[in-house]
Amino acid sequence: MIALALLALALMVADAQWRPALEPVRQGLSLALYPFQRAVLLPRDLVRSVNDWLNAAALVRSENELLQRQRIELAQISTHAAQLAAENAQLRRLLGVGDRPAGRGAVVVQVMYEPLSVYNRRLVFDKGASSGIAPGMPVIDEGGVVGQIVRTTPMTAEAALLTDEGVSIPVQSLRNGLRLIAFGGKSPGKVEVRYLSADDDITEGDVLVTSGLGGFFPAGLPVARIERVERDTESGFASAVGEPLSHPERYRHFLVLLDGEAEPRAEGLATEGAP
């Protein structure tokens, strides 16, 4: 170590004294040592290259994920906008239907959920007695009668659909004025007209509307279109099966028609003729 230290000291003194003369020697030594320098630095350069490649791959992957997420979000926004446009159009049509029954208020309701039952077809709405809704009030969409309110709480209301077996509505044929009673059908999604005489004038394609009898349903609301008539000549009676003109499975918003004397008690109630 002492010898090496003395040699290093001598080289430093010689370099300081004879720098111009030793410059060619220094250049030659640098050229000779360059391959060894590159060999020593090769692992570092390799690690840097691998890291750069990995970083670039991660950056490309993250950008692809970001673009994919943005594409999905844009698709969701587009779908949501289309859904809102469809709901707005349906609400405009719905409010147009609400102008038909003169002297009655109406409140727009939204479906919260549909109770699961094999015996009943019901919908639960997001407004109840605090909005002026009471049992017996009709529920409609732009197609016609959807059902009837059967139970209320201060904040919710439950409606039995037109096709529920527990619902019966006084109707009449739009073609000839024949008064009938429409019941929820035993077949899913159908209504039935029972207790007909075999010679009653009812045929396929007849449109049934509410007759206004009974007080709950105003006259003239579309109910169903007759699909088939079954006549029993032996018993002298007949029955008919109809397809409802409303579509509760398609929409989330409906109108509940209030009694004519009901006063608006909550935001969302609108009475025909009000300023």
Side-chain angles (χ1 to χ4, degrees):
M1 290 180 64
I2 294 174
L4 291 175
L6 292 174
L7 178 61
L9 183 60
L11 289 174
M12 292 173 62
V13 173
D15 181 67
Q17 295 291 331
W18 300 291
R19 180 180 295 272
L22 294 177
E23 187 63 25
V25 177
R26 183 181 294 105
Q27 294 293 334
L29 290 175
S30 298
L31 184 62
L33 292 176
Y34 180 75
F36 297 99
Q37 291 176 339
R38 296 303 303 171
V40 171
L41 295 176
L42 183 62
R44 184 204 66 180
D45 295 339
L46 182 61
V47 170
R48 284 183 177 178
S49 298
V50 171
N51 286 336
D52 292 342
W53 181 83
L54 292 176
N55 291 335
L59 180 61
V60 171
R61 184 167 55 252
S62 63
E63 290 180 350
N64 286 338
E65 292 176 353
L66 178 61
L67 291 174
Q68 181 73 4
R69 184 168 61 251
Q70 290 177 344
R71 184 184 67 82
I72 295 173
E73 290 175 352
L74 288 175
Q76 292 176 344
I77 292 173
S78 177
T79 302
H80 185 60
Q83 181 183 5
L84 288 178
E87 288 185 354
N88 286 337
Q90 190 253 342
L91 283 174
R92 287 194 294 270
R93 295 192 302 270
L94 191 61
L95 292 173
V97 172
D99 291 338
R100 295 179 186 174
R104 300 182 70 113
V107 56
V108 179
V109 295
Q110 179 174 324
V111 177
M112 294 179 61
Y113 63 91
E114 182 175 359
L116 298 178
S117 174
V118 296
Y119 302 104
N120 300 315
R121 294 201 62 194
R122 305 288 175 92
L123 292 176
V124 176
F125 300 127
D126 62 346
K127 295 179 182 178
S130 61
S131 297
I133 300 175
M137 293 181 176
V139 182
I140 65 173
D141 66 7
E142 69 271 19
V145 177
V146 172
Q148 188 174 27
I149 301 295
V150 294
R151 185 180 297 109
T152 62
T153 68
M155 303 304 296
T156 64
E158 182 177 346
L161 297 185
L162 178 65
T163 54
D164 188 287
E165 292 188 25
V167 174
S168 60
I169 300 176
V171 298
Q172 64 182 133
S173 173
L174 194 61
R175 178 174 58 87
N176 56 16
L178 179 65
R179 288 193 296 273
L180 308 162
I181 302 292
F183 298 86
K186 296 179 180 178
S187 302
K190 304 295 182 182
V191 297
E192 295 181 357
V193 179
R194 306 169 188 166
Y195 315 121
L196 294 172
S197 299
D199 57 351
D200 280 340
D201 184 12
I202 183 170
T203 61
E204 295 179 7
D206 281 354
V207 174
L208 304 181
V209 298
T210 52
S211 64
L213 301 179
F216 285 114
F217 291 87
L221 293 177
V223 176
R225 177 178 285 105
I226 298 299
E227 288 187 334
R228 67 178 187 273
V229 179
E230 302 172 351
R231 302 183 187 274
D232 188 347
T233 55
E234 294 183 359
S235 64
F237 292 99
S239 63
V241 177
E243 176 75 19
L245 296 175
S246 61
H247 301 283
E249 72 281 357
R250 297 183 185 178
Y251 305 120
R252 297 169 52 201
H253 298 88
F254 301 94
L255 279 184
V256 177
L257 300 182
L258 308 178
D259 291 334
E261 64 274 9
E263 295 292 335
R265 287 180 290 175
E267 183 179 358
L269 265 63
T271 305
E272 184 176 3

